Amino acid sequence: MIGLRLPPTKLSFSGAVGAERLLLLGVRLMPRRPNRALARDLETDRLRLRSIGPLRLLWQIAPWHRDPELMEALRGHRGPMPLIKWLSSGGRPNNIHRFCYAIVPKGQSKPVGVIYMNLSWTDSSAATHMAISDPAWRGHQVSVEARSALLTLFFDNGVTVFTAEPRARNLGSIFVYKKLGFRVVGAVRFDPEEAEPDRIRFVMTREAWRERQARIAGTAPSQPAGPDR
Amino acid sequence: MTADPAELVARALDIQGSVSLEDDMSSLPAWTSLTHVRLILEIEAALGRTLTAEEIGSIDSVRAVAAVLAVAGVAT
């Protein structure tokens, strides 16, 4: 079923499925070293992307539970969210399958957001999520710039396709994926009882990304400086 | 109620100059994540209803806005 040869046995069909699941679980649980090629700092024109671990991530995102705009965009939760619920609602970076980067504008020390990159267990596909916590930096192409740098890094290190499924009303996130050239491949029905689908599914392949980057190389206008301080 | 798609985009993006049917996210620097939200709300106001997920996913150019408005019969 997955191209691996199981040892010859006389297992029943359900037994064979169970054996396959145990095998996949074993592969998933095998100790793996951190991926240093991906868990590293990057720089763009205006930003520093700093690879961070779980404790620093928790420290940075803890105050976000009070921001109703962030809670609506990230969790579909109206209004502020209880702190414990917020901190327990997301994955933690392990620098093996889940990576997290603090977004720090050059010339500043305080991050203005974080970006997550999650690899599938085969390391060939990935997904990305991010949030800009500082409202002064929203609408200044920070998401596009940060994601663009990380997409290039991940595509250059084995990932062949990125997927994304933002909520249909997360319009800022949808804009970023469209701006980056992600292709809409469908709408995802989150709740079968709902009349309208709740998410939009995007895809970007490594080939499409590299073609896009080659096309815009040398012709992109300079990035806006950022919010007036 | 009718709506010119280029005028609607110019109003949402707060562009004083002209916007053409050939313009899109790449050609209009004023088209940011914040103005994109405003644009979607302007389109929904022109249509008198909430956009579907498919319609939201399609909007990345003035021509795409025109297509959404034309389907609803409100494009000039």
XYZ file of all heavy atoms in Angstrom, chain A residues 24-25 29 46 50 63 96 102 106 130 140 145 161 166 174 176 210:
142
model
N 4.221 2.540 10.312
C 4.247 3.987 10.109
C 4.470 4.714 11.424
O 5.206 5.692 11.492
C 2.943 4.448 9.468
C 2.750 4.092 7.995
C 1.358 4.474 7.531
C 3.788 4.769 7.131
N 3.832 4.215 12.487
C 4.017 4.838 13.801
C 5.472 4.707 14.237
O 6.061 5.645 14.769
C 3.090 4.179 14.825
C 3.183 4.722 16.263
C 2.795 6.187 16.303
C 2.299 3.909 17.194
N 8.074 7.643 15.110
C 8.652 7.773 16.444
C 10.166 7.630 16.444
O 10.807 7.844 17.459
C 8.028 6.737 17.389
C 6.551 6.945 17.724
C 6.039 5.805 18.594
C 6.337 8.271 18.433
N 14.041 43.641 4.494
C 13.645 44.452 5.637
C 13.573 43.671 6.945
O 13.396 44.247 8.002
C 12.259 45.065 5.401
C 12.122 45.990 4.215
C 10.678 46.456 4.073
N 9.797 45.324 3.785
C 8.494 45.326 4.002
N 7.907 46.378 4.519
N 7.753 44.274 3.700
N 14.132 34.732 12.661
C 14.943 34.010 13.654
C 14.268 32.700 14.027
O 13.143 32.688 14.520
C 15.113 34.862 14.908
C 15.955 36.091 14.674
C 16.227 36.838 15.957
N 17.035 38.019 15.687
C 16.998 39.127 16.403
N 16.185 39.219 17.443
N 17.762 40.138 16.099
N 0.696 36.802 24.800
C -0.205 37.971 24.862
C -1.239 38.017 23.734
O -2.186 38.807 23.796
C 0.770 39.158 24.743
C 2.111 38.620 25.055
C 2.094 37.205 24.603
N 12.204 19.452 13.536
C 12.298 18.210 12.771
C 11.194 18.209 11.719
O 11.452 18.065 10.532
C 12.161 16.982 13.686
C 13.299 16.968 14.712
C 12.167 15.701 12.864
C 13.150 15.901 15.765
N 10.634 33.786 14.336
C 10.170 35.105 14.770
C 10.506 36.103 13.674
O 11.592 36.048 13.085
C 10.844 35.496 16.075
N 14.420 44.739 10.632
C 15.797 45.218 10.834
C 15.768 46.562 11.550
O 14.937 47.419 11.260
C 16.511 45.335 9.485
C 16.825 43.975 8.874
C 17.545 44.126 7.554
C 17.906 42.744 7.011
N 18.524 42.813 5.675
N 1.074 31.924 9.507
C 1.776 33.021 10.163
C 0.790 34.040 10.694
O -0.382 34.030 10.322
C 2.772 33.679 9.222
C 2.188 34.572 8.166
S 3.519 35.372 7.216
C 4.155 36.520 8.434
N 1.855 45.855 5.125
C 3.138 46.361 4.612
C 3.944 45.252 3.947
O 5.169 45.333 3.876
C 3.947 47.001 5.753
C 3.361 48.276 6.244
N 3.598 49.492 5.644
C 2.521 48.529 7.277
C 2.932 50.434 6.295
N 2.262 49.884 7.292
N 6.898 38.990 2.119
C 8.361 38.975 2.130
C 8.899 37.812 2.955
O 9.812 37.095 2.524
C 8.872 40.295 2.703
C 10.377 40.469 2.621
C 10.795 41.875 3.031
O 9.964 42.800 2.913
O 11.947 42.051 3.457
N 6.043 20.471 -2.633
C 4.761 21.156 -2.737
C 4.364 21.752 -1.395
O 4.587 21.149 -0.344
C 3.658 20.195 -3.246
C 3.444 19.048 -2.280
C 2.356 20.931 -3.478
N -6.545 28.294 4.294
C -7.042 29.345 5.187
C -8.561 29.385 5.198
O -9.220 28.964 4.239
C -6.465 30.620 4.563
C -6.296 30.284 3.114
C -5.928 28.834 3.069
N -5.655 35.030 2.609
C -5.953 34.665 1.217
C -5.238 35.601 0.263
O -4.698 35.176 -0.765
C -7.477 34.664 0.991
C -8.097 33.475 1.729
C -7.823 34.627 -0.488
C -9.584 33.534 1.859
N -2.378 37.058 0.775
C -0.955 36.714 0.756
C -0.699 35.514 -0.147
O 0.235 35.505 -0.950
C -0.451 36.439 2.187
C 0.969 35.884 2.157
C -0.501 37.711 3.014
N 9.777 28.129 -8.640
C 11.045 28.502 -9.267
C 10.808 29.254 -10.576
O 11.549 30.189 -10.904
C 11.900 27.248 -9.474
C 12.472 26.733 -8.162
C 13.236 25.453 -8.288
N 13.879 25.118 -7.019
C 14.475 23.953 -6.762
N 14.519 23.013 -7.699
N 15.030 23.728 -5.591
